[in-house]
Amino acid sequence: MINKYIAEYSEDFKYEFSENLNYEICGIIAKVDVWEYNSNYNHREKAHVLLEKGDLKYECDCFDRHRWDNMFYPLNMNGNEYLLFRKTLYGFTLLNTDTLTETYDYFPEIVLNGEESFIIVDAKMLGDVIIFDGCYWACPYVCIAYDPQTELFVNLSDEYGITNDETIINGDILVWRGMNGNHEKKEITVTTDEIQRLLRRQGKSLSFL
Protein backbone atom coordinates (compact mmCIF):
# COMPACT_ATOMS: atom_id res chain seq x y z
CA MET A 1 0.00 0.00 0.00
CA ILE A 2 2.64 2.49 1.02
CA ASN A 3 4.68 1.72 -2.10
CA LYS A 4 1.76 2.81 -4.29
CA TYR A 5 1.42 6.07 -2.39
CA ILE A 6 5.17 6.73 -2.64
CA ALA A 7 5.26 5.93 -6.36
CA GLU A 8 2.41 8.35 -7.07
CA TYR A 9 4.02 11.03 -4.90
CA SER A 10 7.41 10.76 -6.61
CA GLU A 11 6.54 10.00 -10.23
CA ASP A 12 7.63 12.52 -12.88
CA PHE A 13 8.87 15.12 -10.40
CA LYS A 14 12.46 16.34 -10.59
CA TYR A 15 13.77 16.66 -7.03
CA GLU A 16 16.87 18.69 -6.21
CA PHE A 17 19.11 18.19 -3.19
CA SER A 18 18.25 20.64 -0.42
CA GLU A 19 20.17 19.88 2.78
CA ASN A 20 21.86 17.31 4.97
CA LEU A 21 20.99 17.12 8.66
CA ASN A 22 22.97 15.31 11.35
CA TYR A 23 21.87 15.04 14.96
CA GLU A 24 21.67 12.62 17.89
CA ILE A 25 18.55 11.24 19.54
CA CYS A 26 18.36 8.52 22.21
CA GLY A 27 22.02 7.64 21.61
CA ILE A 28 21.36 7.22 17.87
CA ILE A 29 23.06 9.28 15.16
CA ALA A 30 20.51 10.45 12.59
CA LYS A 31 21.62 11.48 9.11
CA VAL A 32 18.87 12.92 6.93
CA ASP A 33 19.41 13.91 3.28
CA VAL A 34 16.55 16.07 2.02
CA TRP A 35 15.42 16.70 -1.58
CA GLU A 36 12.78 19.16 -2.74
CA TYR A 37 10.63 19.85 -5.78
CA ASN A 38 9.28 23.38 -6.24
CA SER A 39 6.98 24.92 -8.80
CA ASN A 40 4.51 27.79 -8.73
CA TYR A 41 1.72 25.52 -7.50
CA ASN A 42 3.45 22.53 -5.99
CA HIS A 43 6.02 21.81 -3.31
CA ARG A 44 7.18 18.28 -2.51
CA GLU A 45 9.82 16.87 -0.21
CA LYS A 46 11.50 13.55 0.32
CA ALA A 47 14.44 12.35 2.38
CA HIS A 48 16.76 9.41 2.87
CA VAL A 49 17.14 8.59 6.56
CA LEU A 50 20.14 6.71 8.01
CA LEU A 51 20.19 5.84 11.72
CA GLU A 52 23.37 4.45 13.30
CA LYS A 53 24.07 3.10 16.78
CA GLY A 54 27.44 1.38 17.10
CA ASP A 55 27.47 -1.33 14.45
CA LEU A 56 23.69 -1.18 13.98
CA LYS A 57 22.13 0.63 11.02
CA TYR A 58 18.62 1.41 9.84
CA GLU A 59 17.71 3.09 6.55
CA CYS A 60 14.47 4.20 4.95
CA ASP A 61 13.04 6.83 2.63
CA CYS A 62 10.46 9.34 3.86
CA PHE A 63 8.08 11.36 1.72
CA ASP A 64 5.89 14.44 2.03
CA ARG A 65 6.44 17.29 4.41
CA HIS A 66 8.17 16.61 7.73
CA ARG A 67 10.02 18.56 10.36
CA TRP A 68 13.21 16.84 9.28
CA ASP A 69 15.25 18.14 12.22
CA ASN A 70 12.60 16.99 14.70
CA MET A 71 10.87 14.02 13.06
CA PHE A 72 11.37 11.39 15.79
CA TYR A 73 9.30 11.06 18.96
CA PRO A 74 10.97 9.00 21.76
CA LEU A 75 8.56 6.71 23.63
CA ASN A 76 9.02 4.25 26.49
CA MET A 77 6.68 1.26 26.36
CA ASN A 78 6.90 -1.74 28.68
CA GLY A 79 10.43 -0.78 29.67
CA ASN A 80 11.63 -0.56 26.05
CA GLU A 81 12.62 2.59 24.20
CA TYR A 82 11.20 3.34 20.76
CA LEU A 83 11.29 6.07 18.17
CA LEU A 84 7.98 6.85 16.53
CA PHE A 85 8.10 8.63 13.16
CA ARG A 86 6.23 9.03 9.88
CA LYS A 87 7.48 7.73 6.53
CA THR A 88 4.77 9.70 4.70
CA LEU A 89 2.34 12.41 5.70
CA TYR A 90 0.11 9.66 7.12
CA GLY A 91 0.60 6.63 9.36
CA PHE A 92 3.53 5.91 11.67
CA THR A 93 6.42 3.53 12.33
CA LEU A 94 7.77 2.27 15.67
CA LEU A 95 11.50 1.55 15.79
CA ASN A 96 13.20 -0.25 18.69
CA THR A 97 16.17 1.88 19.77
CA ASP A 98 18.17 -1.12 21.07
CA THR A 99 18.00 -3.16 17.88
CA LEU A 100 17.15 -0.49 15.25
CA THR A 101 14.41 -2.78 13.91
CA GLU A 102 10.83 -1.91 13.09
CA THR A 103 8.29 -3.35 15.52
CA TYR A 104 5.27 -1.72 13.87
CA ASP A 105 4.62 -0.01 10.55
CA TYR A 106 1.18 1.45 9.86
CA PHE A 107 -0.10 3.14 6.72
CA PRO A 108 -3.84 4.02 6.32
CA GLU A 109 -5.20 2.42 3.17
CA ILE A 110 -8.03 4.97 2.94
CA VAL A 111 -5.69 7.66 1.58
CA LEU A 112 -5.22 5.57 -1.58
CA ASN A 113 -8.93 6.16 -2.25
CA GLY A 114 -8.56 9.93 -1.97
CA GLU A 115 -9.73 10.17 1.65
CA GLU A 116 -8.02 12.17 4.36
CA SER A 117 -6.32 10.54 7.31
CA PHE A 118 -4.84 11.76 10.57
CA ILE A 119 -1.47 13.57 10.42
CA ILE A 120 0.67 13.12 13.54
CA VAL A 121 2.65 16.18 14.65
CA ASP A 122 3.53 15.01 18.17
CA ALA A 123 3.43 11.81 20.22
CA LYS A 124 3.94 11.20 23.93
CA MET A 125 3.22 8.42 26.43
CA LEU A 126 0.50 8.54 29.09
CA GLY A 127 0.91 5.28 30.99
CA ASP A 128 0.50 2.55 28.38
CA VAL A 129 -1.34 4.83 25.95
CA ILE A 130 0.15 6.98 23.20
CA ILE A 131 -1.27 10.50 22.96
CA PHE A 132 -1.16 11.85 19.41
CA ASP A 133 -1.49 15.54 18.62
CA GLY A 134 -2.29 16.32 15.01
CA CYS A 135 -4.93 17.17 12.46
CA TYR A 136 -6.91 16.01 9.47
CA TRP A 137 -5.06 18.10 6.90
CA ALA A 138 -4.49 21.68 8.08
CA CYS A 139 -6.86 22.20 11.02
CA PRO A 140 -8.25 22.04 13.59
CA TYR A 141 -5.70 20.28 15.79
CA VAL A 142 -7.14 17.38 17.75
CA CYS A 143 -6.00 14.89 20.38
CA ILE A 144 -6.06 11.13 19.77
CA ALA A 145 -5.45 8.36 22.33
CA TYR A 146 -4.04 5.10 20.94
CA ASP A 147 -3.51 1.79 22.76
CA PRO A 148 -0.68 -0.13 21.03
CA GLN A 149 -1.72 -3.36 22.77
CA THR A 150 -5.25 -3.46 21.36
CA GLU A 151 -4.58 -1.22 18.33
CA LEU A 152 -7.67 0.80 19.20
CA PHE A 153 -7.95 4.58 19.25
CA VAL A 154 -10.38 7.19 20.47
CA ASN A 155 -10.68 10.82 19.38
CA LEU A 156 -10.55 12.72 22.67
CA SER A 157 -11.39 16.02 20.98
CA ASP A 158 -14.72 14.56 19.85
CA GLU A 159 -15.40 13.05 23.27
CA TYR A 160 -14.70 16.20 25.27
CA GLY A 161 -15.74 18.81 22.73
CA ILE A 162 -12.54 20.84 22.46
CA THR A 163 -9.89 21.29 19.81
CA ASN A 164 -6.23 21.12 20.72
CA ASP A 165 -3.90 23.93 21.77
CA GLU A 166 -1.61 22.12 24.21
CA THR A 167 -1.29 18.72 25.87
CA ILE A 168 0.87 18.16 28.94
CA ILE A 169 1.59 14.82 30.63
CA ASN A 170 1.64 15.10 34.42
CA GLY A 171 2.17 11.62 35.87
CA ASP A 172 -0.91 9.59 34.93
CA ILE A 173 -2.92 12.69 34.04
CA LEU A 174 -3.32 14.45 30.71
CA VAL A 175 -3.70 18.22 31.10
CA TRP A 176 -5.34 19.40 27.92
CA ARG A 177 -5.96 22.99 26.87
CA GLY A 178 -8.00 24.06 23.88
CA MET A 179 -11.16 25.73 22.62
CA ASN A 180 -14.75 24.52 22.83
CA GLY A 181 -17.41 24.88 20.15
CA ASN A 182 -18.14 28.45 21.28
CA HIS A 183 -14.46 29.40 20.83
CA GLU A 184 -14.01 29.69 24.59
CA LYS A 185 -10.76 28.61 26.23
CA LYS A 186 -11.10 25.37 28.12
CA GLU A 187 -8.83 23.14 30.23
CA ILE A 188 -9.53 19.47 30.95
CA THR A 189 -7.69 16.86 33.00
CA VAL A 190 -8.09 13.24 31.98
CA THR A 191 -6.58 10.24 33.78
CA THR A 192 -5.10 7.13 32.20
CA ASP A 193 -7.93 5.07 33.70
CA GLU A 194 -10.57 7.32 32.12
CA ILE A 195 -8.93 6.99 28.71
CA GLN A 196 -8.66 3.22 29.05
CA ARG A 197 -12.37 3.05 29.87
CA LEU A 198 -13.14 5.09 26.77
CA LEU A 199 -10.97 2.81 24.65
CA ARG A 200 -12.69 -0.33 25.99
CA ARG A 201 -16.17 1.14 25.57
CA GLN A 202 -15.88 2.80 22.17
CA GLY A 203 -12.38 2.36 20.78
CA LYS A 204 -12.19 2.16 17.00
CA SER A 205 -9.95 0.14 14.72
CA LEU A 206 -6.72 1.83 13.72
CA SER A 207 -7.64 1.33 10.06
CA PHE A 208 -10.11 4.22 10.38
CA LEU A 209 -7.55 6.70 11.73
Side-chain angles (χ1 to χ4, degrees):
M1 292 185 296
I2 191 172
N3 291 334
K4 180 182 178 183
Y5 177 87
I6 288 171
E8 292 175 352
Y9 185 84
S10 303
E11 188 176 13
D12 299 329
F13 293 97
K14 186 178 180 181
Y15 289 85
E16 295 183 356
F17 180 77
S18 174
E19 61 179 333
N20 170 262
L21 301 170
N22 293 274
Y23 52 92
E24 183 175 339
I25 183 167
C26 296
I28 297 168
I29 303 300
K31 300 177 181 179
V32 185
D33 292 326
V34 183
W35 283 265
E36 295 184 62
Y37 168 83
N38 286 290
S39 73
N40 291 334
Y41 307 103
N42 200 344
H43 176 77
R44 294 175 178 240
E45 298 177 4
K46 65 179 182 178
H48 181 73
V49 175
L50 171 64
L51 302 181
E52 296 180 306
K53 185 177 183 179
D55 295 331
L56 301 175
K57 289 186 179 183
Y58 171 84
E59 294 184 73
C60 73
D61 292 318
C62 295
F63 297 81
D64 237 320
R65 297 189 184 189
H66 288 63
R67 294 178 296 176
W68 301 112
D69 60 343
N70 188 27
M71 61 181 291
F72 299 103
Y73 307 109
L75 302 176
N76 186 302
M77 292 187 288
N78 300 318
N80 295 313
E81 295 287 342
Y82 298 88
L83 293 181
L84 185 145
F85 67 100
R86 294 187 284 111
K87 290 180 180 175
T88 74
L89 194 62
Y90 310 104
F92 63 90
T93 299
L94 280 173
L95 188 79
N96 186 298
T97 61
D98 288 331
T99 62
L100 293 193
T101 56
E102 293 182 8
T103 59
Y104 194 75
D105 192 33
Y106 169 66
F107 178 79
E109 186 176 0
I110 59 174
V111 301
L112 299 179
N113 300 320
E115 297 183 45
E116 287 297 332
S117 185
F118 187 68
I119 303 167
I120 296 166
V121 299
D122 194 14
K124 51 181 79 78
M125 294 301 301
L126 176 65
D128 296 328
V129 174
I130 302 176
I131 300 297
F132 289 134
D133 292 336
C135 59
Y136 285 85
W137 194 228
C139 62
Y141 272 55
V142 297
C143 187
I144 301 285
Y146 170 68
D147 185 345
Q149 299 297 318
T150 62
E151 296 186 12
L152 296 175
F153 77 92
V154 64
N155 188 324
L156 296 179
S157 293
D158 285 348
E159 293 299 322
Y160 291 94
I162 65 171
T163 55
N164 202 42
D165 284 339
E166 183 181 23
T167 52
I168 301 168
I169 305 299
N170 184 8
D172 64 349
I173 294 174
L174 173 67
V175 180
W176 179 18
R177 300 184 180 115
M179 304 284 283
N180 65 16
N182 296 320
H183 303 288
E184 299 167 332
K185 291 184 178 180
K186 193 172 182 179
E187 179 174 299
I188 292 175
T189 58
V190 189
T191 67
T192 305
D193 288 343
E194 288 176 292
I195 292 174
Q196 287 288 9
R197 283 195 292 271
L198 275 174
L199 285 163
R200 288 193 299 268
R201 189 167 63 243
Q202 57 202 72
K204 298 179 181 179
S205 168
L206 188 63
S207 62
F208 294 99
L209 183 60

